[in-house]
Amino acid sequence: KGELNRYESIELARPVLVSNRKALLEKWLKEDKLECSEELGDIVQPHDATLALSIYLRANAPAKVVVCFAQSGQFDKIVLYCKKVGYNADWNTLLMQVARLDGDKACEFALSLVKEDPPLISADQVVGIFASLNLVQQTTRFLLDALKDNKEGDAHLQTKLLEMNLINAPQVADAILGNNMFSHFDRPYIAQLAEKAGLYQRALELYDNLDDIKRVAVHTEVLNGEWLVNYFGNLSVDDSLAVIRQMLEHNAAQNLQIVVQVAIKYSELLGPQKIIEIFEDCRCNEGLYYYLGSVVNVSQDPAVVFKYIQAALSTGQTKEVERIVRENNYYDAEK
């Protein structure tokens, strides 16, 4: 007998599939005894997706062909097929279907779509679809690849990428910021989120406002000491003095060591008299003693030497006082 028509093919296929005789159906298809149609593909689909795909291809049912390719992860074939048959797929709906089934496959698919020239879907549309399904990891993977050229026009997506990770996966956000991959995101907003997430170093790297810097810099219990001391090299003289004052006022016991290191390293830049004034205002004789102890032997300022003698006496360092009086030529004996 020759080829059966569409309806005969469907009616014959039903009992064959129910009795699990799929091989017989494949034989008839190879022998062109059945008329391929979208409906026949729909009946076969639950039993054998590959066989259904071949039916859809022969039936010229592009919408179903595209879904089959997507569900089986053959993304490279989708765009080629659409171009070949002149089919304009609904990429948003298709990506949503794939994302509901498999987030990782959806990520690969999305990247293939945005890399077409021109792109078949926008990065914003991808992020919207993934976000609606709460696919944080897949959105992150997608954006890290899609934004790798660090374009100014993608500033809002850079912000979105950092925002979602600072809220959901701070360690990932920390790594992204640490790699300096992006430079166009909303710095003040991301700095606030970094601070809330406890990523104080990243917050300080991003903040420009002095009040923000003063608020964050006091957390020396979690900040890397060496990094924080070097950070002061980026601040103006006035800002540096304001921050070390804040650190001593906030918690002198906790922050003293870092403040002394900063004072010693930037002594000439900040000015000994201003540093001395801050230690005295905060009644921090111990800090003043340690700071001046590192500069007194190279200073030719009698006032510095005198302040060091005072600090040494107030902290009970009498032998140090005797040494300075004996060896230093710049102190004012009358004082």
Side-chain angles (χ1 to χ4, degrees), residues 79 83 91-92 112-122 125:
V79 177
K83 288 177 179 176
W91 300 111
N92 276 27
S112 72
L113 294 177
V114 296
K115 287 175 182 176
E116 282 294 312
D117 187 18
L120 297 173
I121 194 170
S122 72
Q125 289 171 314

Side-chain angles (χ1 to χ4, degrees), residues 83-226:
K83 288 177 179 176
K84 182 180 176 182
V85 300
Y87 177 65
N88 187 20
D90 181 347
W91 300 111
N92 276 27
T93 302
L94 189 59
L95 182 61
M96 177 67 86
Q97 287 175 330
V98 179
R100 284 200 176 109
L101 292 169
D102 189 324
D104 291 333
K105 283 185 178 178
C107 182
E108 292 173 41
F109 185 34
L111 285 169
S112 72
L113 294 177
V114 296
K115 287 175 182 176
E116 282 294 312
D117 187 18
L120 297 173
I121 194 170
S122 72
D124 282 290
Q125 289 171 314
V126 174
V127 170
I129 290 167
F130 286 3
S132 71
L133 299 171
N134 199 31
L135 299 175
V136 176
Q137 286 182 318
Q138 288 81 2
T139 309
T140 299
R141 271 177 48 211
F142 169 76
L143 286 176
L144 284 174
D145 192 307
L147 304 179
K148 61 189 175 189
D149 293 334
N150 191 23
K151 294 176 182 175
E152 190 174 349
D154 291 331
H156 65 294
L157 288 172
Q158 293 183 4
T159 303
K160 179 70 178 174
L161 170 63
L162 291 165
E163 174 192 49
M164 64 189 299
N165 280 289
L166 282 166
I167 293 169
N168 296 289
Q171 297 86 352
V172 175
D174 186 33
I176 294 170
L177 288 167
N179 287 331
N180 295 314
M181 300 167 69
F182 306 119
S183 53
H184 304 294
F185 56 88
D186 184 338
R187 291 172 70 89
Y189 175 60
I190 294 303
Q192 286 176 18
L193 291 180
E195 182 184 352
K196 282 181 185 174
L199 299 178
Y200 297 123
Q201 178 177 323
R202 301 303 175 204
L204 285 174
E205 288 170 343
L206 297 173
Y207 274 137
D208 293 318
N209 180 276
L210 178 59
D211 287 337
D212 293 325
I213 293 168
K214 284 163 64 177
R215 185 179 62 252
V216 177
V218 300
H219 293 286
T220 58
E221 75 280 8
V222 289
L223 283 162
N224 177 282
E226 184 181 357

